[in-house]
Amino acid sequence: MDASVKQRIEALIATSPVFVFMKGTKLMPQCGFSNNVVQILHAMGVSFETFDVLSDMEIRQGIKEYSDWPTVPQVYLNGEFMGGSDILIEMYNSGELREQLAVALAS
């Protein structure tokens, strides 16, 4: 991956404790998986920022290499990759997501 793309990705992730790379925006998700993540985070009352990968092909491809995860959306908590839609749904349903968010956002 190009160093400048990696720097841009890291700078984006650093803008918020909870950051989501997704298709569309939190106000207008452009795919069902991105919408799932947005709805979960809204339901939990979590403040988060997003980046629309459809607006930048370098970031769209780069984030997949950065995380070694082939799909979008991708959720980061305090700079650490958590997973995509399926993982967030599982964590939400088990209560693990609430626990991890509470610990991470309290520090």
Side-chain angles (χ1 to χ4, degrees):
M1 169 189 336
D2 183 88
S4 67
V5 173
K6 183 178 180 186
Q7 283 181 320
R8 288 177 58 211
I9 289 169
E10 289 173 345
L12 285 165
I13 293 169
T15 63
S16 178
V18 181
F19 196 91
V20 183
F21 289 91
M22 60 182 282
K23 292 179 181 175
T25 66
K26 60 182 164 183
L27 297 176
M28 191 179 297
Q30 297 294 309
C31 82
F33 299 110
S34 293
N35 187 53
N36 290 342
V37 168
V38 168
Q39 294 306 316
I40 287 170
L41 294 174
H42 280 315
M44 298 186 74
V46 174
S47 177
F48 63 100
E49 294 301 324
T50 65
F51 182 84
D52 179 5
V53 298
L54 298 176
S55 71
D56 188 318
M57 290 302 125
E58 283 187 331
I59 297 293
R60 183 178 185 175
Q61 184 56 39
I63 195 60
K64 295 173 185 179
E65 294 175 33
Y66 182 83
S67 64
D68 197 24
W69 191 259
T71 59
V72 172
Q74 293 187 13
V75 180
Y76 288 79
L77 179 59
N78 286 341
E80 296 294 320
F81 176 62
M82 291 183 71
S85 177
D86 291 349
I87 291 173
L88 235 65
I89 290 169
E90 287 177 23
M91 291 174 72
Y92 177 75
N93 288 336
S94 72
E96 183 182 352
L97 182 60
R98 184 170 302 282
E99 292 173 20
Q100 280 197 18
L101 286 169
V103 169
L105 299 176
S107 54

XYZ file of all heavy atoms in Angstrom:
830
model
N 0.842 -1.181 0.000
C 0.000 0.000 0.000
C 0.889 1.247 0.000
O 1.918 1.285 0.668
C -0.899 -0.020 1.232
C -1.626 1.273 1.461
S -2.530 1.442 3.016
C -2.854 -0.192 3.507
N 0.465 2.230 -0.724
C 1.164 3.504 -0.797
C 1.195 4.164 0.584
O 0.188 4.165 1.302
C 0.430 4.400 -1.808
C 1.116 5.717 -2.024
O 1.993 5.779 -2.895
O 0.778 6.670 -1.299
N 2.337 4.714 0.962
C 2.501 5.315 2.292
C 1.535 6.473 2.526
O 1.031 6.654 3.638
C 3.941 5.777 2.489
N 1.254 7.243 1.482
C 0.346 8.380 1.652
C -1.084 7.913 1.909
O -1.814 8.539 2.678
C 0.390 9.317 0.440
O -0.145 8.683 -0.707
N -1.485 6.802 1.299
C -2.827 6.256 1.552
C -2.910 5.746 2.984
O -3.887 5.999 3.690
C -3.172 5.134 0.543
C -4.490 4.460 0.905
C -3.223 5.693 -0.875
N -1.858 5.061 3.428
C -1.827 4.570 4.812
C -1.927 5.734 5.796
O -2.671 5.662 6.772
C -0.558 3.761 5.060
C -0.503 3.168 6.444
C 0.733 2.330 6.661
C 0.738 1.769 8.075
N 1.953 1.061 8.399
N -1.201 6.808 5.528
C -1.252 7.988 6.402
C -2.650 8.597 6.425
O -3.143 9.000 7.482
C -0.247 9.048 5.936
C 1.175 8.738 6.315
C 2.115 9.835 5.851
O 1.967 10.373 4.752
N 3.086 10.163 6.687
N -3.301 8.668 5.270
C -4.658 9.213 5.198
C -5.628 8.351 6.007
O -6.474 8.869 6.730
C -5.122 9.318 3.746
C -4.425 10.434 2.981
C -4.831 10.481 1.518
N -6.272 10.645 1.373
C -6.978 10.160 0.350
N -6.381 9.461 -0.601
N -8.275 10.358 0.279
N -5.507 7.029 5.882
C -6.369 6.113 6.623
C -6.161 6.295 8.120
O -7.123 6.421 8.884
C -6.119 4.653 6.193
C -6.660 4.430 4.774
C -6.736 3.676 7.187
C -6.243 3.119 4.146
N -4.908 6.332 8.550
C -4.616 6.501 9.976
C -5.114 7.845 10.498
O -5.625 7.928 11.623
C -3.123 6.319 10.229
C -2.704 4.864 10.057
C -1.205 4.627 10.128
O -0.419 5.604 10.035
O -0.831 3.445 10.274
N -5.000 8.890 9.692
C -5.493 10.206 10.096
C -7.016 10.195 10.230
O -7.565 10.785 11.174
C -5.057 11.270 9.092
N -7.709 9.519 9.319
C -9.167 9.413 9.409
C -9.579 8.669 10.673
O -10.451 9.132 11.421
C -9.727 8.694 8.173
C -9.761 9.507 6.885
C -9.975 8.599 5.682
C -10.838 10.584 6.962
N -8.967 7.524 10.920
C -9.302 6.712 12.091
C -9.085 7.501 13.382
O -9.857 7.377 14.326
C -8.488 5.399 12.094
C -8.938 4.514 10.929
C -8.621 4.659 13.422
C -8.027 3.320 10.676
N -8.074 8.352 13.398
C -7.733 9.124 14.597
C -8.729 10.247 14.894
O -8.696 10.825 15.981
C -6.330 9.693 14.462
N -9.629 10.547 13.962
C -10.552 11.668 14.174
C -11.673 11.369 15.155
O -12.343 12.291 15.620
C -11.191 12.145 12.846
O -11.979 11.085 12.296
C -10.137 12.616 11.858
N -11.902 10.085 15.476
C -13.003 9.733 16.360
C -12.722 8.400 17.047
O -12.154 7.504 16.426
C -14.298 9.618 15.550
O -15.380 9.233 16.367
N -13.133 8.255 18.316
C -12.944 6.961 18.988
C -13.648 5.817 18.256
O -13.188 4.692 18.257
C -13.548 7.183 20.373
C -13.507 8.650 20.589
C -13.671 9.266 19.220
N -14.788 6.108 17.627
C -15.497 5.109 16.827
C -15.547 5.640 15.393
O -16.115 6.705 15.137
C -16.933 4.847 17.351
C -17.626 3.795 16.498
C -16.896 4.436 18.816
N -14.927 4.904 14.493
C -14.839 5.342 13.098
C -15.256 4.204 12.187
O -14.861 3.058 12.399
C -13.411 5.791 12.754
C -13.366 6.604 11.488
C -13.492 7.977 11.535
C -13.248 5.979 10.251
C -13.500 8.724 10.364
C -13.252 6.719 9.083
C -13.372 8.096 9.131
N -16.051 4.541 11.160
C -16.575 3.535 10.242
C -16.239 3.910 8.802
O -16.578 5.007 8.349
C -18.108 3.396 10.377
C -18.622 2.288 9.458
C -18.525 3.149 11.818
N -15.571 3.002 8.108
C -15.403 3.114 6.663
C -16.583 2.370 6.067
O -16.816 1.194 6.395
C -14.093 2.470 6.200
C -12.887 3.260 6.622
C -12.259 2.985 7.826
C -12.386 4.277 5.827
C -11.151 3.715 8.233
C -11.277 5.014 6.220
C -10.657 4.729 7.424
N -17.373 3.049 5.244
C -18.621 2.463 4.756
C -18.958 2.980 3.370
O -18.322 3.910 2.876
C -19.761 2.798 5.725
C -20.001 4.293 5.901
S -21.305 4.670 7.095
C -22.753 4.340 6.102
N -19.958 2.367 2.774
C -20.503 2.855 1.511
C -21.619 3.823 1.865
O -22.609 3.441 2.480
C -21.027 1.702 0.662
C -19.921 0.792 0.162
C -20.481 -0.357 -0.651
C -19.337 -1.256 -1.117
N -19.867 -2.460 -1.806
N -21.428 5.080 1.503
C -22.381 6.127 1.844
C -21.967 6.833 3.125
O -20.811 6.753 3.553
N -22.915 7.516 3.718
C -22.667 8.267 4.948
C -23.619 7.775 6.030
O -24.582 7.054 5.745
C -22.914 9.771 4.734
O -24.317 9.966 4.465
C -22.085 10.317 3.589
N -23.385 8.207 7.260
C -24.281 7.776 8.335
C -25.685 8.326 8.133
O -26.644 7.745 8.621
C -23.725 8.104 9.714
C -23.478 9.551 10.017
C -22.870 9.663 11.413
C -22.231 11.002 11.653
N -21.591 11.062 12.954
N -25.817 9.419 7.399
C -27.143 9.956 7.107
C -27.795 9.262 5.918
O -29.020 9.244 5.794
C -27.063 11.460 6.837
C -26.581 12.313 8.008
C -26.457 13.767 7.583
C -27.525 12.165 9.188
N -26.962 8.681 5.032
C -27.494 8.002 3.855
C -26.604 6.815 3.474
O -25.825 6.888 2.520
C -27.622 8.968 2.681
C -28.417 8.374 1.532
S -28.619 9.490 0.144
C -29.543 10.819 0.866
N -26.699 5.717 4.217
C -25.927 4.525 3.862
C -26.308 4.039 2.463
O -27.473 4.113 2.074
C -26.334 3.502 4.924
C -26.877 4.312 6.057
C -27.497 5.521 5.430
N -25.317 3.546 1.729
C -25.544 3.118 0.349
C -25.559 1.603 0.182
O -25.550 1.117 -0.940
C -24.492 3.745 -0.569
C -24.550 5.245 -0.623
C -25.823 5.747 -1.266
O -26.194 5.320 -2.347
N -26.523 6.647 -0.586
N -25.532 0.863 1.278
C -25.688 -0.592 1.197
C -26.264 -1.085 2.519
O -26.168 -0.417 3.549
C -24.373 -1.297 0.856
S -23.255 -1.569 2.226
N -26.863 -2.255 2.475
C -27.512 -2.813 3.653
C -26.562 -3.081 4.802
O -26.904 -2.882 5.964
N -25.348 -3.546 4.484
C -24.378 -3.850 5.533
C -23.947 -2.581 6.256
O -23.848 -2.552 7.489
C -23.170 -4.587 4.958
C -23.528 -5.902 4.324
C -23.457 -6.069 2.957
C -23.969 -6.973 5.097
C -23.793 -7.275 2.363
C -24.309 -8.186 4.517
C -24.229 -8.333 3.143
N -23.697 -1.517 5.487
C -23.341 -0.229 6.104
C -24.506 0.282 6.944
O -24.310 0.797 8.048
C -22.972 0.788 5.022
O -21.780 0.412 4.361
N -25.726 0.124 6.441
C -26.903 0.548 7.190
C -27.021 -0.214 8.510
O -27.368 0.375 9.537
C -28.164 0.364 6.343
C -29.372 0.949 7.023
O -29.380 2.100 7.431
N -30.403 0.139 7.153
N -26.731 -1.519 8.502
C -26.775 -2.307 9.739
C -25.869 -1.707 10.804
O -26.262 -1.559 11.961
C -26.342 -3.755 9.487
C -27.336 -4.551 8.689
O -28.501 -4.188 8.572
N -26.866 -5.646 8.109
N -24.639 -1.374 10.418
C -23.670 -0.813 11.364
C -24.166 0.524 11.904
O -24.130 0.777 13.106
C -22.277 -0.685 10.704
C -21.341 0.161 11.549
C -21.682 -2.063 10.446
N -24.638 1.382 11.011
C -25.143 2.693 11.422
C -26.302 2.534 12.406
O -26.351 3.207 13.442
C -25.565 3.525 10.185
C -26.364 4.753 10.592
C -24.334 3.929 9.379
N -27.226 1.633 12.109
C -28.390 1.440 12.980
C -27.987 0.920 14.352
O -28.534 1.356 15.373
C -29.404 0.496 12.315
C -30.034 1.067 11.054
C -30.666 2.433 11.261
O -31.358 2.672 12.246
N -30.411 3.357 10.341
N -27.035 0.006 14.398
C -26.556 -0.518 15.683
C -25.927 0.597 16.512
O -26.234 0.761 17.692
C -25.557 -1.672 15.474
C -26.298 -2.924 14.996
C -24.761 -1.963 16.749
C -25.384 -4.050 14.533
N -25.043 1.367 15.893
C -24.364 2.439 16.635
C -25.352 3.511 17.086
O -25.259 4.014 18.212
C -23.225 3.025 15.803
C -22.071 2.050 15.530
C -21.062 2.667 14.572
C -21.395 1.612 16.818
N -26.320 3.848 16.235
C -27.355 4.811 16.636
C -28.186 4.253 17.798
O -28.483 4.970 18.751
C -28.272 5.160 15.467
C -27.717 6.175 14.524
N -27.103 7.339 14.917
C -27.691 6.201 13.171
C -26.720 8.034 13.874
N -27.059 7.363 12.783
N -28.557 2.970 17.724
C -29.362 2.351 18.783
C -28.639 2.368 20.120
O -29.274 2.447 21.175
C -29.718 0.912 18.394
N -27.315 2.328 20.073
C -26.525 2.333 21.301
C -26.206 3.748 21.772
O -25.588 3.922 22.820
C -25.243 1.533 21.083
C -25.543 0.078 20.761
S -24.082 -0.917 20.673
C -23.700 -1.014 22.410
N -26.578 4.743 20.975
C -26.318 6.128 21.352
C -24.861 6.514 21.269
O -24.405 7.410 21.978
N -24.133 5.845 20.391
C -22.694 6.074 20.259
C -22.431 7.160 19.220
O -22.985 7.128 18.123
C -21.979 4.766 19.840
C -20.515 5.008 19.551
C -22.161 3.712 20.907
N -21.574 8.087 19.567
C -21.118 9.091 18.613
C -20.033 8.458 17.746
O -19.138 7.788 18.262
C -20.557 10.298 19.372
O -20.049 11.237 18.473
N -20.125 8.658 16.436
C -19.140 8.070 15.542
C -19.003 8.904 14.279
O -19.883 9.697 13.954
C -19.509 6.620 15.187
C -20.805 6.467 14.428
C -20.804 6.283 13.052
C -22.030 6.497 15.081
C -21.994 6.140 12.344
C -23.222 6.349 14.393
C -23.203 6.174 13.014
N -17.892 8.723 13.608
C -17.637 9.393 12.334
C -17.521 8.336 11.250
O -17.219 7.167 11.531
C -16.351 10.219 12.403
C -16.435 11.397 13.351
C -17.536 12.387 12.992
O -17.789 12.604 11.781
O -18.162 12.924 13.914
N -17.756 8.751 10.010
C -17.699 7.825 8.888
C -16.903 8.406 7.732
O -16.686 9.618 7.663
C -19.110 7.478 8.369
O -19.718 8.662 7.832
C -19.984 6.900 9.470
N -16.494 7.512 6.835
C -15.894 7.915 5.568
C -16.557 7.098 4.474
O -16.645 5.870 4.578
C -14.382 7.670 5.561
C -13.733 8.136 4.283
C -13.361 9.455 4.128
C -13.540 7.255 3.230
C -12.790 9.893 2.935
C -12.966 7.678 2.044
C -12.593 9.009 1.896
N -17.014 7.773 3.437
C -17.667 7.127 2.304
C -16.603 6.622 1.330
O -16.001 7.406 0.607
C -18.603 8.112 1.616
C -19.317 7.519 0.406
O -19.173 6.304 0.144
O -20.015 8.288 -0.277
N -16.393 5.306 1.326
C -15.358 4.730 0.446
C -15.724 4.856 -1.026
O -14.845 4.744 -1.890
C -15.055 3.254 0.796
C -14.511 3.132 2.206
C -16.258 2.364 0.581
N -16.990 5.100 -1.331
C -17.386 5.282 -2.728
C -16.850 6.595 -3.294
O -16.774 6.756 -4.510
C -18.917 5.242 -2.859
C -19.583 3.932 -2.439
C -21.100 4.064 -2.517
C -19.091 2.769 -3.296
N -16.454 7.504 -2.414
C -15.956 8.814 -2.851
C -14.459 8.812 -3.143
O -13.929 9.799 -3.658
C -16.254 9.874 -1.777
O -15.424 9.671 -0.635
N -13.750 7.723 -2.806
C -12.290 7.707 -2.952
C -11.816 6.265 -3.153
O -11.767 5.488 -2.206
C -11.665 8.308 -1.697
C -10.160 8.523 -1.820
O -9.468 7.638 -2.358
O -9.695 9.563 -1.344
N -11.468 5.933 -4.386
C -11.078 4.558 -4.709
C -9.768 4.143 -4.029
O -9.592 2.969 -3.713
C -10.971 4.362 -6.224
C -12.306 4.387 -6.932
S -13.433 3.128 -6.292
C -14.848 4.116 -5.862
N -8.861 5.086 -3.793
C -7.617 4.747 -3.089
C -7.912 4.279 -1.664
O -7.346 3.293 -1.200
C -6.657 5.942 -3.054
C -5.935 6.196 -4.345
C -4.877 7.284 -4.199
O -5.035 8.204 -3.347
O -3.888 7.216 -4.937
N -8.777 5.000 -0.981
C -9.148 4.615 0.388
C -9.972 3.321 0.355
O -9.772 2.440 1.188
C -9.935 5.735 1.097
C -9.075 7.001 1.248
C -10.454 5.262 2.456
C -7.895 6.872 2.180
N -10.854 3.199 -0.619
C -11.703 1.997 -0.718
C -10.856 0.737 -0.814
O -11.132 -0.260 -0.148
C -12.634 2.115 -1.931
C -13.590 0.953 -2.055
C -14.523 1.136 -3.227
N -15.513 0.071 -3.281
C -16.505 0.048 -4.144
N -16.659 1.026 -5.007
N -17.350 -0.962 -4.140
N -9.822 0.775 -1.634
C -8.940 -0.383 -1.756
C -7.950 -0.434 -0.594
O -7.679 -1.493 -0.039
C -8.177 -0.358 -3.085
C -7.318 -1.585 -3.312
C -8.090 -2.898 -3.233
O -9.219 -3.017 -3.692
N -7.490 -3.892 -2.613
N -7.430 0.704 -0.215
C -6.411 0.769 0.830
C -6.881 0.260 2.171
O -6.129 -0.403 2.893
N -8.147 0.530 2.520
C -8.636 0.101 3.830
C -8.698 -1.419 3.910
O -8.483 -2.003 4.974
C -10.003 0.762 4.175
C -10.315 0.601 5.654
C -11.126 0.235 3.315
C -9.312 1.215 6.587
N -8.938 -2.063 2.791
C -8.976 -3.529 2.767
C -7.588 -4.108 3.037
O -7.446 -5.109 3.738
C -9.526 -4.026 1.430
C -10.973 -3.634 1.208
C -11.431 -3.993 -0.192
C -12.834 -3.482 -0.451
N -13.279 -3.796 -1.819
N -6.571 -3.460 2.494
C -5.190 -3.889 2.743
C -4.768 -3.530 4.167
O -4.099 -4.322 4.834
C -4.251 -3.226 1.735
C -4.474 -3.667 0.304
C -3.615 -2.892 -0.674
O -2.478 -2.503 -0.316
O -4.092 -2.659 -1.802
N -5.152 -2.342 4.602
C -4.770 -1.853 5.934
C -5.242 -2.807 7.032
O -4.504 -3.131 7.957
C -5.362 -0.454 6.142
C -5.007 0.194 7.445
C -3.790 0.860 7.593
C -5.878 0.161 8.530
C -3.460 1.465 8.792
C -5.555 0.764 9.729
C -4.336 1.418 9.855
O -4.018 2.012 11.045
N -6.477 -3.276 6.915
C -7.059 -4.128 7.951
C -6.907 -5.615 7.658
O -7.183 -6.440 8.518
C -8.553 -3.830 8.076
O -9.210 -4.183 6.856
N -6.495 -5.928 6.434
C -6.469 -7.316 5.957
C -7.871 -7.923 6.072
O -8.042 -9.068 6.479
C -5.436 -8.147 6.718
C -5.087 -9.442 5.980
O -5.256 -9.498 4.747
O -4.681 -10.405 6.650
N -8.873 -7.115 5.726
C -10.283 -7.524 5.767
C -10.873 -7.153 4.407
O -10.770 -6.003 3.983
C -10.997 -6.759 6.881
C -12.363 -7.246 7.201
C -13.554 -6.689 6.806
C -12.711 -8.369 8.016
N -14.602 -7.398 7.320
C -14.112 -8.439 8.063
C -11.964 -9.327 8.705
C -14.791 -9.429 8.773
C -12.638 -10.308 9.411
C -14.030 -10.348 9.439
N -11.507 -8.089 3.704
C -11.862 -7.870 2.298
C -13.111 -7.039 2.029
O -13.373 -6.701 0.877
C -12.072 -9.299 1.779
C -12.555 -10.060 2.978
C -11.801 -9.459 4.146
N -13.882 -6.714 3.062
C -15.155 -6.041 2.805
C -15.317 -4.758 3.600
O -14.593 -4.492 4.551
C -16.340 -6.980 3.148
O -16.255 -7.346 4.531
C -16.327 -8.230 2.282
N -16.304 -3.983 3.191
C -16.713 -2.752 3.847
C -18.173 -2.954 4.207
O -18.902 -3.571 3.432
C -16.528 -1.569 2.872
C -17.111 -0.288 3.416
C -15.057 -1.392 2.536
N -18.644 -2.500 5.354
C -18.043 -1.545 6.266
C -16.984 -2.157 7.172
O -16.940 -3.371 7.361
C -19.234 -1.076 7.106
C -20.163 -2.244 7.113
C -20.003 -2.883 5.762
N -16.168 -1.260 7.692
C -15.158 -1.632 8.674
C -15.261 -0.654 9.843
O -15.259 0.554 9.642
C -13.749 -1.561 8.080
C -13.512 -2.602 7.008
C -12.077 -2.641 6.544
O -11.188 -2.058 7.162
N -11.846 -3.331 5.441
N -15.340 -1.211 11.041
C -15.508 -0.404 12.247
C -14.221 -0.439 13.064
O -13.658 -1.505 13.311
C -16.687 -0.928 13.100
C -16.856 -0.079 14.354
C -17.970 -0.970 12.279
N -13.783 0.750 13.487
C -12.584 0.895 14.317
C -12.978 1.515 15.648
O -13.769 2.448 15.696
C -11.556 1.791 13.609
C -10.924 1.096 12.432
C -11.598 1.006 11.218
C -9.680 0.495 12.541
C -11.042 0.333 10.139
C -9.114 -0.179 11.464
C -9.803 -0.259 10.278
O -9.243 -0.934 9.213
N -12.416 0.960 16.715
C -12.644 1.473 18.066
C -11.302 1.846 18.658
O -10.428 0.997 18.809
C -13.340 0.402 18.917
C -13.636 0.742 20.373
C -14.538 1.970 20.462
C -14.273 -0.436 21.072
N -11.134 3.137 18.948
C -9.850 3.660 19.441
C -8.690 3.196 18.573
O -7.643 2.780 19.067
C -9.618 3.280 20.903
C -10.491 4.094 21.831
O -10.997 5.159 21.472
N -10.696 3.596 23.034
N -8.886 3.248 17.259
C -7.823 2.919 16.312
C -7.667 1.447 16.009
O -6.894 1.084 15.137
N -8.391 0.582 16.714
C -8.273 -0.865 16.507
C -9.442 -1.367 15.665
O -10.596 -1.032 15.940
C -8.271 -1.598 17.853
C -7.088 -1.277 18.730
C -5.767 -1.757 18.161
O -5.725 -2.875 17.603
O -4.781 -1.004 18.256
N -9.134 -2.189 14.683
C -10.165 -2.764 13.827
C -11.020 -3.742 14.627
O -10.498 -4.647 15.267
C -9.507 -3.470 12.637
C -10.466 -4.183 11.742
C -11.459 -3.486 11.075
C -10.375 -5.554 11.546
C -12.351 -4.134 10.230
C -11.256 -6.217 10.710
C -12.244 -5.505 10.056
N -12.340 -3.539 14.603
C -13.264 -4.433 15.310
C -13.858 -5.478 14.375
O -14.036 -6.615 14.757
C -14.416 -3.637 15.927
C -14.007 -2.769 17.072
S -15.440 -1.948 17.795
C -16.241 -3.330 18.586
N -14.229 -5.064 13.184
C -14.851 -5.978 12.242
C -15.839 -5.253 11.357
O -15.897 -4.030 11.332
N -16.628 -6.062 10.655
C -17.631 -5.529 9.751
C -19.025 -5.725 10.298
O -19.228 -5.938 11.497
N -19.984 -5.708 9.402
C -21.393 -5.778 9.773
C -21.731 -7.043 10.549
O -22.355 -6.973 11.614
C -22.242 -5.691 8.503
O -23.607 -5.830 8.791
N -21.350 -8.205 10.041
C -21.703 -9.466 10.697
C -21.130 -9.546 12.114
O -21.813 -9.977 13.044
C -21.219 -10.672 9.883
C -21.981 -10.837 8.579
O -23.019 -10.158 8.402
O -21.538 -11.627 7.734
N -19.876 -9.142 12.262
C -19.238 -9.185 13.582
C -19.928 -8.221 14.535
O -20.185 -8.560 15.695
C -17.728 -8.899 13.461
C -17.046 -10.077 12.756
C -17.106 -8.635 14.826
C -15.598 -9.859 12.426
N -20.250 -7.015 14.048
C -20.931 -6.050 14.920
C -22.307 -6.562 15.341
O -22.701 -6.389 16.498
C -21.046 -4.692 14.223
C -20.457 -3.549 15.043
C -18.977 -3.708 15.217
C -20.811 -2.219 14.475
N -23.032 -7.198 14.430
C -24.342 -7.755 14.766
C -24.197 -8.816 15.862
O -24.943 -8.817 16.846
C -25.040 -8.334 13.522
C -25.465 -7.204 12.579
C -26.254 -9.183 13.912
C -25.922 -7.674 11.202
N -23.237 -9.718 15.701
C -23.002 -10.757 16.716
C -22.646 -10.145 18.063
O -23.168 -10.560 19.104
C -21.871 -11.693 16.269
C -22.239 -12.649 15.165
C -21.060 -13.501 14.720
O -20.105 -13.688 15.512
O -21.098 -13.978 13.580
N -21.736 -9.159 18.039
C -21.320 -8.522 19.288
C -22.476 -7.770 19.941
O -22.610 -7.760 21.164
C -20.141 -7.582 19.026
C -18.860 -8.293 18.652
S -17.549 -7.135 18.197
C -17.162 -6.450 19.816
N -23.290 -7.129 19.130
C -24.456 -6.395 19.647
C -25.432 -7.363 20.311
O -25.892 -7.134 21.433
C -25.126 -5.637 18.504
C -26.377 -4.897 18.902
C -26.307 -3.712 19.619
C -27.630 -5.379 18.544
C -27.454 -3.022 19.995
C -28.790 -4.697 18.911
C -28.687 -3.522 19.627
O -29.827 -2.854 19.990
N -25.740 -8.457 19.616
C -26.706 -9.432 20.131
C -26.224 -10.117 21.409
O -27.029 -10.450 22.274
C -27.049 -10.475 19.069
C -27.909 -9.900 17.965
O -28.616 -8.917 18.152
N -27.832 -10.491 16.786
N -24.910 -10.306 21.535
C -24.374 -10.989 22.721
C -24.145 -10.035 23.898
O -23.899 -10.480 25.015
C -23.048 -11.677 22.380
O -22.016 -10.713 22.210
N -24.193 -8.727 23.647
C -23.908 -7.745 24.686
C -22.442 -7.350 24.752
O -22.061 -6.427 25.465
N -21.598 -8.063 23.994
C -20.161 -7.791 24.011
C -19.838 -6.396 23.462
O -18.931 -5.724 23.960
C -19.434 -8.857 23.192
C -17.924 -8.729 23.203
C -17.236 -9.776 22.340
O -17.897 -10.713 21.847
O -16.022 -9.625 22.147
N -20.593 -5.945 22.470
C -20.324 -4.633 21.879
C -20.521 -3.533 22.912
O -19.687 -2.641 23.045
C -21.214 -4.397 20.656
C -20.998 -3.072 19.928
C -19.565 -2.945 19.424
C -21.981 -2.935 18.774
N -21.606 -3.608 23.667
C -21.876 -2.594 24.700
C -20.730 -2.549 25.713
O -20.273 -1.485 26.113
C -23.200 -2.881 25.398
C -23.580 -1.824 26.406
C -24.986 -1.969 26.920
N -26.010 -1.936 25.892
C -26.461 -0.818 25.301
N -25.958 0.352 25.643
N -27.400 -0.870 24.383
N -20.258 -3.721 26.130
C -19.147 -3.800 27.086
C -17.879 -3.170 26.516
O -17.228 -2.365 27.177
C -18.860 -5.260 27.452
C -19.948 -5.919 28.261
C -19.694 -7.411 28.455
O -18.546 -7.846 28.311
O -20.680 -8.126 28.738
N -17.521 -3.553 25.295
C -16.288 -3.032 24.692
C -16.368 -1.526 24.490
O -15.399 -0.814 24.743
C -15.998 -3.726 23.364
C -15.374 -5.067 23.530
C -14.729 -5.562 22.241
O -14.458 -4.806 21.316
N -14.469 -6.847 22.185
N -17.511 -1.037 24.040
C -17.667 0.403 23.840
C -17.577 1.140 25.167
O -16.929 2.180 25.258
C -18.991 0.700 23.152
C -19.061 0.359 21.676
C -20.500 0.437 21.171
C -18.158 1.252 20.847
N -18.210 0.608 26.196
C -18.190 1.263 27.517
C -16.770 1.386 28.038
O -16.359 2.442 28.516
C -19.063 0.491 28.505
N -16.000 0.311 27.925
C -14.614 0.326 28.405
C -13.771 1.278 27.564
O -13.040 2.128 28.093
C -14.018 -1.098 28.371
C -12.510 -1.071 28.612
C -14.695 -1.980 29.409
N -13.870 1.171 26.254
C -13.022 1.972 25.356
C -13.350 3.461 25.443
O -12.450 4.287 25.411
C -13.183 1.486 23.926
N -14.618 3.786 25.556
C -15.006 5.193 25.556
C -14.866 5.840 26.930
O -14.873 7.050 27.046
C -16.436 5.353 25.018
C -16.626 4.879 23.578
C -18.077 4.994 23.170
C -15.719 5.626 22.622
N -14.687 5.021 27.976
C -14.497 5.561 29.317
C -13.052 5.996 29.525
O -12.762 6.834 30.370
C -14.870 4.521 30.364
N -12.135 5.432 28.744
C -10.708 5.732 28.946
C -10.272 6.950 28.177
O -10.952 7.521 27.406
C -9.866 4.543 28.544
O -10.142 4.121 27.241
